[in-house]
Each structure stands twice: as structure tokens, then as C-alpha cells.
């Protein structure tokens, strides 16, 4: 019988030979640096606040039955939370862009699609079949797989940029003419036509981000279970763990 490796010796209690064999096959790679992980969770929290408060701003309840309008400021608090979360998301997004330049290779994936590489498109097709349950064996990626990379680019890089710009243009109207927000973002509102159209575009963007979040959470949990590699915990520890059953 082969003696267990030093790593496997640390298993105690009811650990079996199969447990020892499994832990010998596990390998881990450090992929997501601390600033990327911190941005991910702060951005997720900010988006949740923006979705909830944005819903109430776009579809306010007919009556709050709290007090006379002069004696309560509930809707003002909702708007403040929305604006504050938007500012936090904006600052965080610029910080994330900065880290794409100074961070490791995987910090850049969200901003660049290697469209010129034929092998990348082959992997995109493979991932599409894998998610459609038409492929039996998943490929192992240290960073984002190509399909996830496309989703992150369009819904995060492009999507957040769209939401920030349109949101600031709407905020500029309240900041009044002549303010720095109006000078920078006011022309966008004027180009679109009016703030109501801009509001509708911003509202539709919220639905797109919400749909992406649901797919993102589903895909992360699915890959954690089916592809034999860590997903959710990777965005906490920064380490991707691969678990192979083949000798």
C-alpha cells in the first residue's frame, strides 16, 4: 500500500484511502487578488441597493401611509441611498479599471476579449455546449472561461459604463443647470431628447443587470458542482481549486 503524502497525513478521524487519494489530486492556483475580490463584493452590494431603490424610484407606491408629506422623508432617503450606491459603484469601477493595468493577467480579462484568436472561439463553442448539457467533460480555466468572459465584458464593462453615464445624466437634472454634472452629462440628456426617455433606458439597463446577476449566480454554483473546480469560494479566498477524479 502506498503511504499517504505529507498533505494527506493531515486528514484525521474517519478519513479513508479514497479521501487520501482525493486530497493528493487536488491542486490550487491563486488567481484573484485582494482588490479584485473586494471590488466584486462591494460592487455586488451597491448593485443590490441600486436595484431595490431604483425600482421604488421608477415605480413608487401609491401611498406610503406613514405620515403627512411634510412630516416624513422616506422617498428622500430612498433617493439618497440610490445616489450614494451609484457613487460608490462609480468610484469602485474606476478603481477596477486601474487594477486592470497594475494587477495580474486575470484582472484584465473583464475588459479585453481576444476576438482575433481562433482557439478562443473554439472554446466559446465548447462552453456553450457544456452549459447546454451537450458536452460531458468541462475544460478547466484558471480565470474566467470564454463564455463568462463575454458575459462579464458586455454586462459589467459595457453595462456598468452605460448605467453610470445614464445615471449621472439623470442626476445632472437634479443638480441643476451649470453644475459640474450638468456640464459633463447634460449634453447626453439633450442628445437623447428628454429625461423621460433617458429614464426608460436606465430602467431597462437595470433589468439587464438583474438578469445577468441571476445567470451569474446560477452559473457559479453550477460550475462549483459540475465542473469540479471552485467558483464561489474563489472570490472569497482568491484561490481556484481543481479537483480531478482521473488518476
Amino acid at each position: 500500500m502506498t503511504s499517504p503524502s505529507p498533505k494527506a497525513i493531515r486528514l484525521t478521524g474517519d478519513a479513508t484511502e479514497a479521501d487520501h487519494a482525493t486530497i493528493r489530486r487536488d491542486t490550487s492556483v491563486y488567481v484573484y487578488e485582494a482588490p479584485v475580490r473586494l471590488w466584486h463584493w462591494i460592487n455586488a452590494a451597491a448593485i443590490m441597493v441600486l436595484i431595490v431603490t431604483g425600482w421604488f424610484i421608477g415605480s413608487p407606491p401609491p401611498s406610503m401611509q406613514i405620515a403627512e408629506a411634510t412630516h416624513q422623508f422616506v422617498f428622500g432617503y430612498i433617493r439618497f441611498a440610490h445616489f450614494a450606491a451609484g457613487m460608490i459603484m462609480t468610484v469602485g469601477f474606476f478603481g477596477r479599471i486601474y487594477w486592470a493595468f497594475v494587477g495580474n493577467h486575470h484582472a484584465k480579462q473583464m475588459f479585453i476579449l481576444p476576438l482575433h484568436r481562433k482557439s478562443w472561439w473554439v472554446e466559446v463553442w465548447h462552453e456553450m455546449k457544456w452549459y447546454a448539457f451537450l458536452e460531458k467533460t468541462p475544460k478547466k480555466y484558471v480565470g474566467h472561461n470564454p463564455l463568462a468572459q463575454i458575459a462579464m465584458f458586455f454586462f459589467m464593462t459595457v453595462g456598468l459604463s452605460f448605467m453610470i453615464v445614464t445615471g449621472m445624466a439623470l442626476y445632472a437634472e437634479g443638480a441643476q443647470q451649470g453644475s459640474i454634472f450638468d456640464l459633463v452629462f447634460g449634453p447626453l440628456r439633450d442628445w437623447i431628447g428628454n429625461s423621460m426617455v433617458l429614464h426608460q433606458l436606465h430602467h431597462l439597463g437595470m433589468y439587464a443587470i438583474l438578469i445577468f446577476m441571476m445567470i451569474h449566480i446560477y452559473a457559479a454554483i453550477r460550475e462549483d458542482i459540475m465542473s469540479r473546480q471552485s467558483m464561489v469560494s474563489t472570490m472569497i479566498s482568491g484561490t481556484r481549486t481543481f479537483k480531478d477524479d482521473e488518476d
Side-chain angles (χ1 to χ4, degrees):
M1 180 181 297
T2 304
S3 59
S5 66
K7 181 181 178 182
I9 290 174
R10 292 199 295 270
L11 291 179
T12 57
D14 61 348
T16 65
E17 282 299 314
D19 295 329
H20 288 301
T22 298
I23 199 170
R24 280 197 297 269
R25 287 193 291 269
D26 285 357
T27 56
S28 298
V29 180
Y30 185 69
V31 51
Y32 295 127
E33 298 161 303
V36 173
R37 305 196 308 273
L38 183 63
W39 170 81
H40 177 275
W41 295 113
I42 292 177
N43 189 60
I47 289 176
M48 287 302 300
V49 172
L50 286 165
I51 288 175
V52 174
T53 56
W55 172 264
F56 283 117
I57 290 172
S59 305
S63 176
M64 307 193 77
Q65 299 295 331
I66 296 174
E68 290 293 335
T70 55
H71 297 155
Q72 52 101 357
F73 194 63
V74 176
F75 206 77
Y77 291 131
I78 292 174
R79 293 178 76 247
F80 174 78
H82 191 79
F83 297 154
M87 296 298 180
I88 291 172
M89 186 183 75
T90 301
V91 172
F93 188 61
F94 278 105
R96 182 65 179 84
I97 293 173
Y98 166 76
W99 199 256
F101 289 98
V102 301
N104 62 16
H105 165 73
H106 303 290
K108 301 175 178 60
Q109 276 192 308
M110 195 178 84
F111 300 95
I112 301 174
L113 295 179
L115 302 176
H116 62 285
R117 285 173 40 198
K118 182 179 178 180
S119 59
W120 184 79
W121 286 107
V122 172
E123 293 176 354
V124 168
W125 177 240
H126 179 276
E127 290 304 306
M128 291 177 66
K129 292 190 294 181
W130 165 247
Y131 280 107
F133 298 95
L134 300 176
E135 191 71 45
K136 293 183 178 180
T137 306
K139 290 183 179 292
K140 303 297 179 73
Y141 296 93
V142 176
H144 294 302
N145 69 59
L147 206 56
Q149 192 178 0
I150 292 174
M152 291 294 291
F153 177 81
F154 283 105
F155 287 96
M156 287 289 101
T157 303
V158 177
L160 289 187
S161 298
F162 174 83
M163 295 301 286
I164 289 171
V165 171
T166 55
M168 290 297 181
L170 288 168
Y171 183 81
E173 192 170 41
Q176 300 184 358
Q177 188 175 9
S179 66
I180 184 65
F181 291 98
D182 182 65
L183 292 174
V184 176
F185 298 100
L188 173 64
R189 182 188 64 244
D190 298 335
W191 177 74
I192 288 177
N194 58 67
S195 59
M196 182 57 68
V197 175
L198 188 62
H199 174 85
Q200 293 299 322
L201 292 173
H202 192 70
H203 203 67
L204 289 173
M206 177 199 74
Y207 284 112
I209 297 293
L210 180 60
I211 292 171
F212 164 76
M213 287 181 64
M214 292 188 291
I215 295 174
H216 177 62
I217 293 171
Y218 160 74
I221 297 175
R222 177 187 187 274
E223 290 301 280
D224 232 322
I225 298 171
M226 297 185 62
S227 70
R228 303 287 292 152
Q229 53 189 314
S230 64
M231 290 290 167
V232 179
S233 62
T234 298
M235 198 47 74
I236 298 175
S237 67
T239 302
R240 177 91 69 211
T241 300
F242 300 93
K243 296 159 282 187
D244 272 325
D245 289 331
E246 298 178 0
D247 292 325

